[in-house]
């Protein structure tokens, strides 16, 4: 079983080079969105044992995954926004 990463840096270093070489990897927002998605899987695992939690887990995973997916779709259309700051 894969262990939950202790921090962002550990998670980042565990990823395959082909992901880290992608053009979107330059965006901190994209990296954090992927990290969030992975963390959701770990956090939702205990809810899967309860039938009431399954619907919640499905929605959480879809929502977290859609953040990076939307960024990928936007990048593919020519919209690159890596200089935004909050």
């Amino acid at each position: 079983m894969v262990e939950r990463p202790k921090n962002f840096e550990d998670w980042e270093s565990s990823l395959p080079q082909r992901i880290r070489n992608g053009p979107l990897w330059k965006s901190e927002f994209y990296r954090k969105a992927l990290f969030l998605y992975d963390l959701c899987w770990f956090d939702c695992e205990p809810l899967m044992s309860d039938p009431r939690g399954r619907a919640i887990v499905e929605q959480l995973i879809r929502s977290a995954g859609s953040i990076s997916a939307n960024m990928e779709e936007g990048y593919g259309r020519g919209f690159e926004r890596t200089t935004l700051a909050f």
Side-chain angles (χ1 to χ4, degrees):
M1 182 171 153
V2 178
E3 289 186 31
R4 188 179 200 276
K6 293 181 180 14
N7 56 50
F8 179 76
E9 291 76 20
D10 288 346
W11 169 84
E12 190 174 30
S13 66
S14 73
L15 293 176
Q17 193 65 38
R18 64 181 165 74
I19 293 174
R20 291 183 282 157
N21 286 341
L24 275 171
W25 194 254
K26 296 174 190 169
S27 168
E28 182 177 358
F29 298 114
Y30 182 70
R31 293 190 309 267
K32 299 289 180 154
L34 290 178
F35 184 49
L36 171 70
Y37 180 66
D38 279 357
L39 289 179
C40 278
W41 279 100
F42 288 103
D43 292 345
C44 288
E45 195 170 319
L47 293 171
M48 289 300 291
S49 62
D50 186 333
R52 298 169 294 179
R54 288 193 188 119
I56 294 168
V57 167
E58 289 173 12
Q59 178 62 36
L60 284 170
I61 296 296
R62 278 195 313 270
S63 297
S66 73
I67 299 168
S68 58
N70 288 330
M71 295 175 83
E72 292 164 0
E73 182 180 350
Y75 184 83
R77 292 183 180 180
F79 299 106
E80 182 180 7
R81 306 258 192 248
T82 59
T83 58
L84 295 175
F86 291 94

